[in-house]
Amino acid sequence: MALFKNIIGLIFLLLMQVSCSSDDNATPSLSAPLALNPSDITQNSFVANWAGVKDAQSYVLDVSSDIDFTSFVEGYQALSVNGIYTVVDNLSPSTSYYYRVRAVNGTAESSNSMVISLTTEIPDGSVLKELTQDFFIGTIVQSNRMTGMHHEVINREFSSITAEYEMKMNIMYPSEGVYDWTASDAIVNYAVENKLNIHGHALVWHNATPNWVENFSGTDAEFETMLEEYVKTVVTRYKGKITSWDVVNEAFNDGSGTYRNSVFYQRMGASFISKCFQWAREADPDVLLFYNDYNMCSDQTKRDAVFSMVDDLISNSVAIDGVGYQMHIAYNWPAKKDIQDATQDILDRNLKVHYAELDIRANPNNDQSTLTDARSLELKTKYKEIAELYTALPTVNKYALTIWGLKDNESWLLDFHGHIDWPLLYNNNFEEKDAYYGVLEGLVK
Ligand code: G3I
């Protein structure tokens, strides 16, 4: 019984100790403030907002240019603020910032609020290529579209060009032993004169094979010799000018992932791919070599077949530097996660990513007769999503984000699908659409 009384007495003393030491002026425990969205965002400032906290006498605000708060904005590290908002200024335009806030009462300080992120406004007059520091922003050209407004827009906004069709085999090698460099030389010279990067597209593609090759009359060995001579002649001609080539384009069938039964496959088997990469590397030790294909973010079977081939190239030490995803997509397809997952397959192999032929259908179901404001903004959102995804890639894996056309009425999609659409960044008068600003905003770090 005595022991029991002692225990009760000890518990009572402990409780008294706690209650006595907590005097009437106890510092209240402060809740972390609820950080709210910023307001009044300009190129160089914003207003940080938060909700008040019971018993808070003031607040301290942290603003940083990185989410881990390792690079505080000058003057905004534990800045004491009496109210529940404050202006944050002297910031850089088109830049992401992060803020968090704590409540203060005397010596007591709450834990951090959640982190709020924002991006300051893009300066008026910004252009796409100013915002792409570690990769090219590209578009396509045709040799008869390199003057006037085409020239003006290409050189104001873009840092890279791709020949839409005039650097394919059916154009450069129209008959056996007879090359036609007219258009390809004009485009390469234009790129050099205007200090534009030029991506070579495409050495081997079943859809741009001249008839004499489709109906090649020689032996398989003679076919291979012809193809080697073609690849080496073209790559050598533009060595030091063309920085990258789509060596092979679209070698696999949709859905099944089997090899397309192209004349290249018929004559050389699957080895045509590795041999074309080898020949291109022998012709130019510095040029970046890509495999390029479409529906890579939506056709898992085909993508698996592509990367089985890529892994074979890598394991056999055949030079390949990157993979091009054409990105002929729609405002509502594929989902962002599908694009991220598909792109991860390239990153996992530490290869370069080229979003090579980006256009985004605003009218995939042919149920729109005009580009409504609502659909235009949906298109902007998707362009921004793609630009953000590409911008977020590691620099070592970046090469270019290439838009497959300038103005809507020039898009291949209109003929291919046979109905109206508005898939590009400019309207038919070369005026920037919402989609253009989607890319601009998405390129901001
Ligand atoms: O410009 C000439 C014109 O002068 C001539 O009168 C007319 C008829 O012969 O042809 C015109 O050239 C056409 C060119 O597009 C410009 O419109 C070519 O015949 C035609 O073959 C060419 O089609 C191109 C197609 O690839 C085949 O090379 C498309 O523009 C181009 O957008 C398309 O792009 C492909 C990528 O290379 C690979 N990924 C798929 C993508 C879409 O098919």
Side-chain angles (χ1 to χ4, degrees):
M1 188 58 179
L3 175 61
F4 178 70
K5 283 182 178 177
N6 288 341
I7 290 171
I8 293 299
L10 183 60
I11 289 171
F12 180 71
L13 279 174
L14 285 173
L15 286 174
M16 285 299 291
Q17 180 64 30
V18 168
S19 64
C20 290
S21 68
S22 58
D23 58 43
D24 295 343
N25 302 319
T27 305
S29 64
L30 291 166
S31 308
L34 172 64
L36 304 174
N37 283 336
S39 54
D40 304 307
I41 299 175
T42 70
Q43 295 176 25
N44 309 97
S45 66
F46 67 88
V47 174
N49 299 298
W50 55 90
V53 167
K54 180 175 176 299
D55 295 331
Q57 292 172 335
S58 65
Y59 300 87
V60 284
L61 173 71
D62 291 336
V63 182
S64 173
S65 55
D66 74 295
I67 198 164
D68 300 322
F69 287 84
T70 59
S71 47
F72 289 98
V73 172
E74 189 175 347
Y76 293 96
Q77 181 175 3
L79 172 71
S80 179
V81 179
N82 288 326
I84 54 172
Y85 67 89
T86 191
V87 174
V88 179
D89 56 15
N90 296 323
L91 304 176
S92 303
S94 316
T95 303
S96 295
Y97 290 95
Y98 306 84
Y99 68 89
R100 66 189 182 192
V101 62
R102 297 181 293 283
V104 176
N105 182 320
T107 58
E109 196 169 286
S110 75
S111 57
N112 283 314
S113 69
M114 66 186 213
V115 174
I116 297 282
S117 65
L118 70 122
T119 304
T120 47
E121 291 293 304
I122 299 164
D124 297 338
S126 289
V127 294
L128 297 177
K129 67 181 179 182
E130 279 176 354
L131 300 172
T132 53
Q133 305 306 322
D134 56 354
F135 63 96
F136 297 114
I137 181 80
T139 188
I140 53 176
V141 294
Q142 297 183 16
S143 59
N144 64 352
R145 290 177 182 170
M146 301 192 296
T147 58
M149 282 302 293
H150 287 96
H151 174 72
E152 182 180 321
V153 173
I154 288 168
N155 286 277
R156 183 183 70 231
E157 303 285 341
F158 296 93
S159 53
S160 181
I161 57 174
T162 298
E164 181 167 15
Y165 74 102
E166 290 162 298
M167 296 186 73
K168 295 167 184 172
M169 195 177 190
N170 61 328
I171 304 296
M172 294 196 296
Y173 204 11
S175 52
E176 186 161 8
V178 180
Y179 289 91
D180 181 353
W181 306 114
T182 309
S184 52
D185 280 359
I187 291 170
V188 172
N189 293 339
Y190 177 81
V192 171
E193 285 157 20
N194 291 282
K195 296 182 173 53
L196 293 162
N197 177 71
I198 178 157
H199 173 69
H201 173 81
L203 291 173
V204 170
W205 182 34
H206 68 280
N207 259 356
T209 306
N211 288 334
W212 69 271
V213 172
E214 290 289 357
N215 307 311
F216 190 76
S217 57
T219 65
D220 291 352
E222 289 166 337
F223 182 93
E224 180 168 328
T225 301
M226 173 278 293
L227 190 60
E228 176 179 1
E229 184 263 349
Y230 166 72
V231 169
K232 289 185 173 178
T233 298
V234 173
V235 176
T236 301
R237 184 178 185 87
Y238 297 118
K239 183 176 174 182
K241 294 177 181 176
I242 288 186
T243 56
S244 57
W245 273 103
D246 288 332
V247 177
V248 175
N249 186 43
E250 303 176 16
F252 294 89
N253 287 313
D254 300 336
S256 66
T258 55
Y259 283 98
R260 285 184 189 277
N261 192 33
S262 67
V263 67
F264 306 101
Y265 184 76
Q266 291 167 28
R267 288 309 199 107
M268 298 170 63
S271 72
F272 84 92
I273 297 176
S274 58
K275 287 174 178 173
C276 287
F277 275 87
Q278 275 171 301
W279 296 331
R281 174 57 73 238
E282 288 165 13
D284 183 346
D286 301 319
V287 70
L288 296 176
L289 304 176
F290 285 83
Y291 174 80
N292 194 56
D293 215 326
Y294 67 87
N295 284 1
M296 298 293 280
C297 304
S298 53
D299 185 338
Q300 178 81 55
T301 306
K302 177 155 94 166
R303 188 166 87 243
D304 289 346
V306 166
F307 283 100
S308 172
M309 175 276 292
V310 168
D311 290 342
D312 284 347
L313 294 181
I314 293 170
S315 59
N316 290 295
S317 304
V318 175
I320 179 169
D321 299 289
V323 175
Y325 286 176
Q326 292 182 13
M327 302 300 281
H328 295 300
I329 61 178
Y331 77 96
N332 58 353
W333 172 89
K336 179 178 179 179
K337 185 175 183 315
D338 293 339
I339 299 169
Q340 287 173 302
D341 291 348
T343 304
Q344 189 60 43
D345 282 352
I346 301 175
L347 302 182
D348 289 347
R349 292 156 176 88
N350 200 29
L351 294 172
K352 291 191 178 293
V353 178
H354 185 194
Y355 285 172
E357 304 179 16
L358 179 62
D359 44 36
I360 303 183
R361 298 172 67 190
N363 187 23
N365 301 324
N366 191 22
D367 56 2
Q368 308 285 312
S369 57
T370 60
L371 180 61
T372 61
D373 291 347
R375 186 57 55 84
S376 184
L377 290 174
E378 288 179 296
L379 193 66
K380 172 182 180 179
T381 300
K382 198 63 175 179
Y383 264 110
K384 182 172 181 178
E385 175 188 297
I386 303 303
E388 284 175 336
L389 285 174
Y390 198 85
T391 301
L393 294 176
T395 294
V396 70
N397 301 104
K398 285 175 176 165
Y399 176 64
L401 168 63
T402 300
I403 315 287
W404 204 248
L406 285 179
K407 61 191 180 99
D408 286 336
N409 62 356
E410 293 177 341
S411 173
W412 73 284
L413 288 165
L414 276 60
D415 291 335
F416 186 77
H417 293 291
H419 62 245
I420 189 68
D421 210 321
W422 308 272
L424 297 171
L425 306 186
Y426 296 87
N427 68 20
N428 299 344
N429 302 317
F430 282 105
E431 293 160 337
E432 289 86 356
K433 295 158 56 188
D434 294 327
Y436 169 87
Y437 294 101
V439 175
L440 204 65
E441 291 172 17
L443 293 176
V444 172
K445 296 292 175 279

